[in-house]
Each structure stands twice: as structure tokens, then as C-alpha cells.
Amino acid sequence: MTSPYTEGLAAGLLRYQVCETCAAWQPLQRHACGHCGSRQLAWRDSSGLATIHAVTEVFRAPTEAFQALVPYTLVLATLDEGPRVMGHADPGIAIGDRVRASVFHVDGQPLPRFRRA
Ligand SMILES: [Zn+2]
């Protein structure tokens, strides 16, 4: 399961996809722009700076590797560049907090984690 997104994470970078035709950012990895249908999509490196949009506490993990982490905090964060991404976060983080993305590993898989900026 390798992609520019996971390769970026492995290098400590949060990446997102933008359309080279209309400049719309893409909410998930896509093969065509969700806005104009163009297939000219490019990956950009985010600065990692974001604002917390939503927060969820997870008490039941989806897999055994995550079970070791419960309870943990998942957030939706709006990157300064516009895209909204899901990631882990420090406990006690709140909507509206300014955060910076970092990367941590669960079961060898790099995942974004947001800390207060
Ligand atoms: Zn487009």
C-alpha cells in the first residue's frame, strides 16, 4: 500500500492532491478531479500547519495494533492550504486549536499526528 501520500508520511511530510487544471484540492486520493473531472492531478507538500475542525475520542480500536493506543484522539484538521485531513492528535486538543502535523508509526505504518503549534 504505497502512494505519494504514504511515501510523504514516511518522510515526515503531509501531502495532498490538487488539480492542475482548476486548482481544486482533492478530499481523498483520486484519479480525476472531483470538481472539473481533469486527470491532471499533482501532489503538494503541506506546511503541516492546520486548525482543528472536529475531535473524536476513540475507545474501541479497529485493529489489535490500535487497541494498544486506546483511548486515543482522532481529529479532522483543516490544513492552511485548504484540504481537510484526518489524523491522530494529542489528548485534550480542542476545536479551533492551531496545530502542526508530525508523523508517528502504528504497526510500521506512518500516520499523521497533530500537536499544538
Ligand atoms: Zn479540477
Side-chain angles (χ1 to χ4, degrees), residues 1-16:
M1 188 193 102
T2 182
S3 73
Y5 178 76
T6 52
E7 284 165 17
L9 276 182
L13 286 167
L14 205 50
R15 287 185 175 149
Y16 61 99

